[in-house]
């Protein structure tokens, strides 16, 4: 069984993902993507995303998914609720695809991983030079960082 893990961040109508292989030290980048909800009926779009995630997790033999959890903010907007809705679909689809699923709040990661907050690690190019084998696009680093933080 492979030790491929998928880090996911849901923002708005997008799912950002990075796959790392933890059988290698440092973990090796196996893939990265940004998927957007299709236009049109929202229920149909969520169903398509559900199927896409289930199939990806199965076909790529993903053992674990680490998903950025919702954060409590001062104001909740319709956009926040839409993201939470998509996040739930992605979490259930990941589980259905055969992976274990872990939800991690960014604030918790900032308190428990290293000496800096999560955003400082995400923006630190020298950290990424040694943290993983391969390049992670800056816009996808948060998803990869979740995996590193979950590993401990």
């Amino acid at each position: 069984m492979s030790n491929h893990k998928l880090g996911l961040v849901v923002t708005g109508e997008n799912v950002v993902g990075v796959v790392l292989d933890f059988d290698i030290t440092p973990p090796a980048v196996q893939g990265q993507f940004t998927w957007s909800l299709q236009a049109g009926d929202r229920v149909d779009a969520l169903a398509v995303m559900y199927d896409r995630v289930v199939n990806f997790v199965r076909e790529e033999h993903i053992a674990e998914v680490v998903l950025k959890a919702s954060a409590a903010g001062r104001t909740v907007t319709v956009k926040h609720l839409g993201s939470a809705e998509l996040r739930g679909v992605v979490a259930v689809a990941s589980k259905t695809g055969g992976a274990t699923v872990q939800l991690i709040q960014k604030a918790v990661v900032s308190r428990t991983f290293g000496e800096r907050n999560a955003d400082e690690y995400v923006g630190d190019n020298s950290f990424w030079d040694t943290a993983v084998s391969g390049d992670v696009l800056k816009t996808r680093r948060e998803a990869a960082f979740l995996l590193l933080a979950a590993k401990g």
Side-chain angles (χ1 to χ4, degrees):
M1 177 105 187
S2 72
N3 197 12
H4 289 183
K5 297 182 182 184
L6 173 61
L8 294 172
V9 176
V10 174
T11 56
E13 307 237 321
N14 297 312
V15 178
V16 176
V18 174
V19 178
L20 296 180
D21 180 355
F22 281 87
D23 284 330
I24 303 165
T25 303
V29 177
Q30 297 299 303
Q32 51 191 308
F33 57 83
T34 301
W35 294 334
S36 298
L37 276 179
Q38 69 179 21
D41 182 77
R42 183 155 178 90
V43 174
D44 289 342
L46 291 170
V48 168
M49 185 63 75
Y50 176 89
D51 289 341
R52 188 173 200 178
V53 173
V54 168
N55 291 333
F56 184 84
V57 168
R58 283 185 181 151
E59 291 168 9
E60 298 300 320
H61 307 287
I62 303 296
E64 182 178 353
V65 172
V66 180
L67 179 62
K68 180 181 173 186
S70 297
R74 291 184 213 148
T75 309
V76 177
T77 65
V78 172
K79 184 177 178 182
H80 290 115
L81 294 174
S83 291
E85 189 175 64
L86 178 55
R87 192 174 297 108
V89 166
V90 168
V92 172
S94 298
K95 181 75 172 175
T96 301
T100 60
V101 179
Q102 184 178 4
L103 295 168
I104 296 182
Q105 289 186 336
K106 186 176 178 180
V108 171
V109 170
S110 288
R111 289 191 307 267
T112 59
F113 184 89
E115 302 296 320
R116 302 182 282 170
N117 71 41
D119 288 333
E120 290 174 315
Y121 284 107
V122 168
D124 182 355
N125 293 336
S126 62
F127 171 78
W128 290 99
D129 289 341
T130 59
V132 297
S133 174
D135 292 327
V136 179
L137 294 176
K138 288 184 180 183
T139 56
R140 297 178 179 151
R141 284 181 180 173
E142 187 174 16
F145 185 71
L146 291 172
L147 293 172
L148 299 175
K151 183 178 181 276

